[in-house]
Structures are given as structure tokens and as C-alpha cells.
Amino acid sequence: MVPVKPRLMKRKYNSHHLLQTLLFVFCLLGGMNTAFSQPGNSKVSRTITDKILRDLTLRIPDFKLITKYSAAVKPDGSWPDIDYSSKAFTVWPPEEHLIRLQTLIKAYVTKGSICYADEKVFKDISNALQYWYSSNPKSDNWWFNQISTPQSIGESLIMMRYGDKKIDKELQGKLIERMKQGDPEKWTGANKTDISQHFFYRALLTEDDALLSYSLKEFFSPVNLVYKKEGLQYDNSYMQHGLQLYVGGYGTVFINGVFKVASYLSGTPYALGADKVALLSKFLKDTYLKTLRGQYADFNVMGRGISRPNVLDMTSVKSQLLVVKVVDPNNSTEWDNAIARINGLEAPSYKVTKTHNQYFSSDYTLHTRPPYSFNVRMASKRTIRCETGNNENLLGRYLSNGATNIQLSGGEYYNIMPIWEWDKIPGITSRDYVTDKIETLSWGEPGTNEFAGGVSDGIYGASGYMLNFDNLRAKKAWFFFDTEIVCLGTDIKSDEPEHVTTTINQCWLKGDTESSLDNNQIAKDKTITHSEKSNVWFLHDNVGYYFPKGGDIKLSTDVQKGEWYRINNSYSKKEITGNVFKLWLDHGSKPQNAEYAYIVLPGVKSAKEMKKFKANELEIIANNPTMQAVYHKPLDMLQVVFYEAGSITVASTAIKVDKPCILMIKNFNGKRVISIADPLYKEKTATLTLTNTNKEITELKVDFPQNEYAGSSVDVK
Ligand code: CA
């Protein structure tokens, strides 16, 4: 595991707009038509820097901005309003100098710009570069010193190569020398590609073939599957900051950076190999894009970025996909479909297929159907819980307690985070504190339980999680079908004074809330408590929630208040308010063997439809400390989470297992198809014994996948 140091995640792709990228792609395609013969060293560099230049100068900076910066810059090349002595950690003022410098350079080198080849602007640029070199500002955050600054200087110098007048050779040389920051070999994942990127720029500036090969080797080395390390995983997920789920956030930085540089190299001898392109496309297509619903991402995959404004809005992905199309045109249909969903030209359901993915490396479950996504975040001793760091995601302590992301339209949780009650994150079981508890440990806490995993055949599946965190234990399981997700909890135990709660959902209130409790709609701004023995339902924003065994159910549709600062100290203290639909079960104080059962029905459009739901078609066969099981009658499908070796009888057939496992039997009453997984990641084999009514015994031997594929599902023949 990489040493945990403070680092900062930046989302550079936001600066790209669709039109820019369209232009860029057009240029790239045009560029590829140019005959490429006998590439000499400088010619290859030139071909690549041509593309970098086009990418960086797609949009001429605003004229007002250029004149403002040019007028304000002092003769020594500094700006009076920038605090160059600041060493600030997250928002570092001297970075503004480099941004302004690039603005002036773009204006100076771009034909058609009013400042193209302008003498005064050239002088400003030279002075600003000189000032930067002489004053050498430094942040306390290594990310600025070793990544952001050398990258920015590299881009500036590359662009200036295309200027009417060139930067003084000596100054250039000194700045290039100063770019030697960081060591890509010491890093993994997105940080590695980020450092390699300025090595790549330096290689182009110095026309150093060996450095170019080295930087690209390092740059693309994270495009490989890794086991028990940060980076792209065997389960097709992405982890960073230890073995921590980061499909969004760092995963975004990684995939964008890699595809961007790959697009620069297309048509040159350095073009990315087909095997690496295939790995990237698989991650993008089968994982990354599946974490999006319409234009919005699953909050589970963002890491500490969940605490930043607008982070779930993934509109910028569509322009990235245009870059991807240059590198991997074979999957253009996939990329086009995703673009259509993201930009809203098509519904969020457009070309969405039925899939179920169990991420056995990162403890994450992703279940998609055309009408919805339902994803679960778990943790184990094999993974790191969602982190806090740099005073970001201060309240994200319980995100890995089995958070469920339920999206239909996509925007259900968009920017709700400042006003969330953070021990009632959707799906989790937690102690219910009066005041949300701040996480004091930075950079992620390892999970404390062994049992976490799921069975999957790619379309259906079940997940089981033995939660053990914050002096609270619970066995939580999810059973995924087409129109229903059955959520069971059992063995819920705590000796702490707080009540323990399981939250069904906490999303923006949208429209009316209806319920079986009375025939009237539940008023806005209301909190209700209801204890009923059985068959209670609620309907809100096209999602039905059914409680077959009732429970101590609480619903609030009230106004909640908060500010971004409360969860992320880099953002505003301005108060935000909004009505929230919050539905939870109260297990009381010091529960010793509490349980719950609820069924989520995404896509129910009316109370009339809700009343037609046949709960008896979903048979909850077991929900006890040894096992949790659901039989779906119409699908003829059985799913069982065995926490111990044991047996269960369904439709006169006894199923016995000699190891803890998670099991799914499709076509139960016909020609059975059995899938099984080991949620403890330690067994080599298991024996499955089926005994039918006539006492006929079938014994099936299971060989569990090992090492890189431990925890993954296997079909039993
Ligand atoms: Ca609370």
C-alpha cells in the first residue's frame, strides 16, 4: 500500500466543453490523415505537440480577461493581488499566476486572437515566467509542487514553441530543469499518470527520445490489472488511496488522462497498444458508465469527493467520450449511447441493459435495469472504508455501512449532501446520533469484518455483509431481481446508548408521498411514526417501499438545513435548505437481535399500481443469524446468504452447504442453474448437497476461484 500522504484530487476535465472537444476531435481526425513517413525524432515530437497545442487552444480566452491580466501584471512579472508566499493546502493562491500565464499564452499563440503575436503580451509572458522561476512558490501540498505546477509550466512552454517570438533559451532551460519533480516509479494509479504526464511534456520539449519512451511507459503502466494494489482491478473496478473504491474521482482522473494522452499519440509510433485500449474500454463501458444514471453518478463511487458541490453532475463525461472515440472507434455505438443519455437527448433508460456486477476486489455491487440503478457499498478487512481527508467528507463515516444508491431520473441525490443526516445515509444501519459525528481519522479506515461479498451471474445476484463498525453489528443482505430488491437485516446488536436505525432512503422530496397507512397523501413538512405488524407501503418519486413485516417505521418529509462547509471546509458556509424524503426503521436502544425486511420497488408509478404488488410472490424464507434467503416465485429463483454451514428447505428440496457462501439457484423447479461465491475469500472448495422429496441426493463439488479472482462467482456444473 502506498504511504498515506495528503493529496488532492483535481478534475481537470471540467474545463472542456463539448464544442471544444468536437473541434479537437475534428482536428485529431484531420491530423491522422496526414501521411506519416519515416518519423525523425523532432518530427514525432512536433506531431504530438501539434495535437497538444490544438487541445490547449481550442478556445481563445475572453478578450476582457486578457486585457485585464496584461494591464495588471507588474514589470517584474507578478500580479499584485496574488499572495505568492501562501503555502495553502487546497486552494493555493499562486496557482492563479499559472492560470493567468496560460491565458495570456493562449491569446498570444492563437491565430485569430486579437493579441496574436502582440509585443506587449509577449513581454508579459516572458516576465511572468521569469518571476515564477525566481520566486519559486511552493505549497504545503505536494500535489501542487510535483504535479500541478510542472504540468502547467510544461504546457506553457509547449504552447510558446508556437509563438511568433520564442522564450529566451536560458530561461526555458532553467524552467525545464525545474520541471524535474516527483518520481513516477514511486507512485501508482492516477498520481503516477499525473507525474508521468509532465515527464512526457519535458521529453517533447527537449526532444529526448529515451525520456519520451520512459515517460510513456510509466504513464501507461497503470493500464494493467493489479491485485491487492491501487489501480485497475481484476473485477473491473478502480481503487486508490489504498484498496478503496474510487471508480469516480481518481478513476475519472485516471481514465481521462490516459485517453487524452492516447489521443495525442494516435497515428504515431507511440500509439497505445490494442490490449491496453481494450482494458480501458472495458472499464469505461462495463463499470464507469454504469455508475451513471442519465448525467448523474452514483454517490458511492466518488470517495471523499462526495462532499464537493456538483460532483455528481457528470456532464463533462460526454466530451471525454468524444476523445475516447478517437482512440477506440470500434465501440462508438456504446459511446454514442452514453453521450445521448448524459446530454439528455435520450432518457436515462436509453439502451441500458439488465446487468448485475459484483465487484469482488472493491466490495461494491452494481445492479442496473432500464428503469433504475440500485448499487451497494460494503467494506471488509480486504478494503478501505470511504475516506475523509484534507478536511473533506468530514461526516462520511458511515458511507461503507451498506449505502444503497437508488436512481431512476438520476438527480435523486444531486447536491443533497450538505443537508443530509449523515448517520441516515440511504441503506445503512447505524447508531443514530443526535449530532452527526465527525470522522477524525484521515485517509480511510480499514474495514473490520471478514464477511462481505456477493453472488452474480451478470444479470441477477445477491450480496451479504456482516457489518461490524462503531460497536454495532448487523447482518445485511440484498436480493436483486428485475422489479424488486429485497433488503434484509438480522442479528443487529449494539450495547451503546443511541438508538440503532436502518435507513431505507434519504433523497430530495419530489411530489407527493403516498402510503397504505391511510388513504390520504402524507403532507409535506411532516414526520410520522408508525408501528404496524405487516404489509405497509410507501410510494414516493416512482419508488415503492414495502415492509412485509411492518416495523417501527419513521418518515420525515420535512425541511432539512445545512451548508457545504459542514462536510467540506473548502466550501461555503451559506445555508442550504430543502425538503427531504427520509424513511427509516428504528430498532431502538441497545438492540440485541433486531431484524428488518423491506422491498424496494423502483418504477412504481401510482398508488393503484402499488396496491397490485403481490408480496407473497417474494417469499422471505429465512432472516436469522445463520442465513438470509429469498425465493422469487415468478422468476423461480432462490438466493441464499449462508453465514454458516447449514441447510434450507425450499419446495420440498433441502439444500445443504458445508461452508459459508452466497448462493443463487435459477430455474429452481426445472433444470437448475447454480451460482455460488465465497464471501470470506478463503475457501478452496465447498460441497453442496441437494435432497429432493424422494430422498434422492445430489452432491455437487464447488471449486472457488482463488487469488486475483477470490470472492468471484462460479457456476456449479
Ligand atoms: Ca442522527
Side-chain angles (χ1 to χ4, degrees):
M1 199 187 303
V2 153
V4 174
K5 291 182 188 171
R7 42 208 104 160
L8 181 78
M9 178 162 82
K10 287 248 163 173
R11 294 174 50 203
K12 290 179 217 118
Y13 59 85
N14 270 346
S15 62
H16 291 266
H17 297 296
L18 183 62
L19 184 64
Q20 279 179 287
T21 307
L22 276 168
L23 283 165
F24 169 55
V25 170
F26 177 75
C27 293
L28 276 179
L29 291 170
M32 287 203 297
N33 291 333
T34 327
F36 191 82
S37 57
Q38 291 186 329
N41 191 353
S42 60
K43 196 173 173 190
V44 176
S45 294
R46 189 72 182 192
T47 307
I48 298 168
T49 55
D50 283 355
K51 290 177 186 174
I52 296 174
L53 179 81
R54 286 189 201 118
D55 190 20
L56 293 171
T57 58
L58 285 170
R59 194 176 44 168
I60 303 169
D62 179 37
F63 177 67
K64 276 186 210 150
L65 216 54
I66 306 162
T67 44
K68 193 178 128 194
Y69 294 160
S70 179
V73 69
K74 296 200 295 193
D76 68 354
S78 69
W79 276 278
D81 58 327
I82 295 176
D83 175 10
Y84 292 92
S85 64
S86 169
K87 298 193 176 305
F89 212 85
T90 47
V91 182
W92 183 49
E95 194 188 25
E96 178 64 17
H97 179 97
L98 296 173
I99 294 167
R100 292 179 188 179
L101 177 62
Q102 283 212 4
T103 305
L104 292 178
I105 292 173
K106 286 172 191 174
Y108 179 71
V109 301
T110 311
K111 283 178 190 159
S113 150
I114 205 147
C115 302
Y116 175 67
D118 182 277
E119 275 294 327
K120 159 84 168 83
V121 172
F122 177 77
K123 224 176 157 91
D124 297 339
I125 293 166
S126 293
N127 292 343
L129 279 167
Q130 180 62 54
Y131 185 83
W132 187 266
Y133 181 77
S134 312
S135 61
N136 195 16
K138 287 259 162 63
S139 166
D140 282 337
N141 186 340
W142 74 278
W143 189 90
F144 286 107
N145 308 329
Q146 294 186 25
I147 289 178
S148 152
T149 297
Q151 272 188 5
S152 183
I153 292 292
E155 287 168 359
S156 293
L157 294 178
I158 285 172
M159 286 192 281
M160 279 312 285
R161 289 280 166 96
Y162 293 82
D164 183 49
K165 281 174 85 174
K166 310 285 184 271
I167 296 296
D168 172 65
K169 276 229 152 61
E170 196 196 328
L171 176 60
Q172 264 200 68
K174 287 194 288 188
L175 285 163
I176 290 171
E177 192 59 28
R178 183 74 65 66
M179 281 173 68
K180 291 180 181 169
Q181 300 290 332
D183 178 358
E185 290 177 39
K186 286 188 179 153
W187 294 94
T188 56
N191 287 330
K192 189 185 192 79
T193 52
D194 263 342
I195 294 172
S196 311
Q197 195 169 337
H198 63 71
F199 275 56
F200 166 65
Y201 290 153
R202 188 154 53 82
L204 294 169
L205 285 162
T206 53
E207 292 182 359
D208 181 338
D209 230 3
L211 185 61
L212 187 57
S213 295
Y214 171 79
S215 67
L216 291 171
K217 186 181 130 274
E218 286 300 315
F219 185 86
F220 289 117
S221 77
V223 187
N224 252 321
L225 298 182
V226 291
Y227 176 49
K228 292 188 174 175
K229 279 187 199 153
E230 299 181 336
L232 202 54
Q233 306 295 315
Y234 278 85
D235 69 358
N236 204 28
S237 71
Y238 188 86
M239 293 205 273
Q240 189 116 17
H241 280 197
L243 302 180
Q244 186 178 167
L245 179 68
Y246 251 119
V247 170
Y250 288 100
T252 299
V253 173
F254 166 72
I255 196 114
N256 287 353
V258 169
F259 268 115
K260 190 163 132 181
V261 172
S263 74
Y264 295 155
L265 302 173
S266 68
T268 79
Y270 295 93
L272 190 62
D275 52 336
K276 297 218 175 206
V277 172
L279 272 184
L280 289 170
S281 291
K282 185 169 182 260
F283 169 67
L284 189 62
K285 186 161 60 74
D286 298 338
T287 298
Y288 191 92
L289 292 176
K290 284 190 194 298
T291 66
L292 308 190
R293 179 81 191 160
Q295 76 187 80
Y296 300 103
D298 173 357
F299 63 75
N300 276 315
V301 298
M302 288 298 172
R304 69 180 195 278
I306 190 176
S307 63
R308 298 175 190 170
N310 309 325
V311 76
L312 297 183
D313 183 352
M314 302 297 276
T315 320
S316 58
V317 173
K318 67 188 178 204
S319 53
Q320 284 307 316
L321 288 170
L322 296 175
V323 176
V324 171
K325 273 174 80 173
V326 173
V327 181
D328 181 12
N330 294 337
N331 280 303
S332 285
T333 313
E334 287 279 348
W335 315 139
D336 286 339
N337 292 343
I339 292 168
R341 290 192 297 268
I342 294 165
N343 68 18
L345 281 179
E346 297 287 353
S349 59
Y350 180 68
K351 304 280 184 187
V352 169
T353 50
K354 283 165 61 160
T355 56
H356 184 90
N357 295 339
Q358 177 58 37
Y359 292 92
F360 46 87
S361 310
S362 55
D363 293 330
Y364 172 58
T365 311
L366 209 161
H367 183 74
T368 61
R369 289 294 181 267
Y372 70 93
S373 304
F374 188 115
N375 313 326
V376 183
R377 181 166 189 169
M378 300 176 282
S380 67
K381 283 183 178 173
R382 302 172 294 274
T383 56
I384 306 284
R385 295 170 62 88
C386 187
E387 71 184 0
T388 297
N390 290 349
N391 289 324
E392 296 193 288
N393 196 25
L394 291 163
L395 302 177
R397 234 178 152 232
Y398 306 106
L399 271 164
S400 304
N401 276 26
T404 58
N405 175 83
I406 309 169
Q407 288 177 291
L408 284 82
S409 64
E412 284 85 352
Y413 308 106
Y414 182 54
N415 283 342
I416 197 174
M417 285 75 201
I419 65 167
W420 250 358
E421 183 185 355
W422 281 77
D423 52 24
K424 289 199 178 73
I425 290 166
I428 68 167
T429 300
S430 168
R431 283 157 68 183
D432 185 3
Y433 294 92
V434 176
T435 311
D436 283 325
K437 206 171 169 185
I438 285 180
E439 174 65 76
T440 48
L441 185 82
S442 283
W443 312 117
E445 223 173 315
T448 49
N449 53 291
E450 296 279 1
F451 195 108
V455 68
S456 169
D457 68 349
I459 296 172
Y460 298 99
S463 301
Y465 182 23
M466 208 188 276
L467 176 69
N468 178 10
F469 184 72
D470 202 29
N471 291 337
L472 167 69
R473 286 166 184 271
K475 286 172 181 153
K476 293 170 73 71
W478 298 267
F479 303 86
F480 300 88
F481 304 104
D482 289 318
T483 50
E484 316 91 353
I485 297 95
V486 181
C487 309
L488 300 182
T490 185
D491 212 6
I492 300 169
K493 190 175 182 307
S494 160
D495 292 318
E496 303 293 341
E498 294 85 11
H499 280 222
V500 172
T501 54
T502 296
T503 301
I504 288 83
N505 209 347
Q506 187 182 186
C507 59
W508 290 114
L509 183 74
K510 196 174 161 194
D512 300 324
T513 303
E514 294 170 87
S515 172
S516 60
L517 295 177
D518 49 43
N519 287 322
N520 301 317
Q521 286 166 356
I522 292 162
K524 204 172 150 184
D525 307 328
K526 200 177 166 185
T527 301
I528 62 158
T529 296
H530 203 89
S531 290
E532 188 93 9
K533 288 282 179 284
S534 62
N535 305 324
V536 181
W537 59 259
F538 294 84
L539 176 63
H540 166 257
D541 198 13
N542 294 328
V543 184
Y545 305 93
Y546 194 91
F547 299 81
K549 292 187 166 181
D552 192 359
I553 305 164
K554 293 181 198 296
L555 169 73
S556 164
T557 51
D558 217 338
V559 172
Q560 292 185 195
K561 291 175 184 172
E563 65 269 351
W564 285 102
Y565 182 84
R566 138 181 203 259
I567 56 170
N568 188 327
N569 289 170
S570 292
Y571 295 100
S572 168
K573 289 186 178 176
K574 191 176 159 240
E575 189 179 77
I576 292 165
T577 62
N579 280 90
V580 173
F581 172 85
K582 185 164 65 183
L583 183 64
W584 72 99
L585 282 158
D586 190 342
H587 308 300
S589 176
K590 300 185 182 180
Q592 293 307 306
N593 184 19
E595 58 176 52
Y596 66 82
Y598 63 90
I599 303 168
V600 178
L601 302 156
V604 175
K605 290 187 176 60
S606 65
K608 198 175 156 195
E609 202 180 315
M610 195 69 209
K611 282 172 194 160
K612 283 186 193 157
F613 170 62
K614 294 181 185 132
N616 59 1
E617 289 188 341
L618 280 165
E619 207 178 324
I620 297 169
I621 298 173
N623 187 25
N624 62 60
T626 62
M627 72 182 83
Q628 292 166 306
V630 175
Y631 174 65
H632 193 295
K633 283 182 196 166
L635 289 174
D636 194 20
M637 190 186 296
L638 173 73
Q639 297 179 356
V640 191
V641 177
F642 283 104
Y643 291 95
E644 299 170 8
S647 69
I648 188 169
T649 301
V650 182
S652 315
T653 299
I655 300 136
K656 192 179 139 201
V657 292
D658 67 341
K659 305 273 170 63
C661 62
I662 303 180
L663 181 75
M664 174 163 71
I665 306 180
K666 289 178 295 182
N667 199 15
F668 189 83
N669 290 304
K671 205 166 181 298
R672 294 183 181 121
V673 182
I674 306 174
S675 307
I676 189 166
D678 165 24
L680 295 169
Y681 293 58
K682 66 173 192 188
E683 305 294 351
K684 290 212 156 40
T685 60
T687 304
L688 188 65
T689 312
L690 306 177
T691 310
N692 71 11
T693 343
N694 305 327
K695 304 281 178 214
E696 288 161 352
I697 297 171
T698 314
E699 209 174 82
L700 299 162
K701 197 95 176 156
V702 179
D703 290 313
F704 286 120
Q706 301 295 308
N707 303 321
E708 293 90 338
Y709 293 98
S712 68
S713 296
V714 61
D715 287 340
V716 183
K717 299 273 185 303

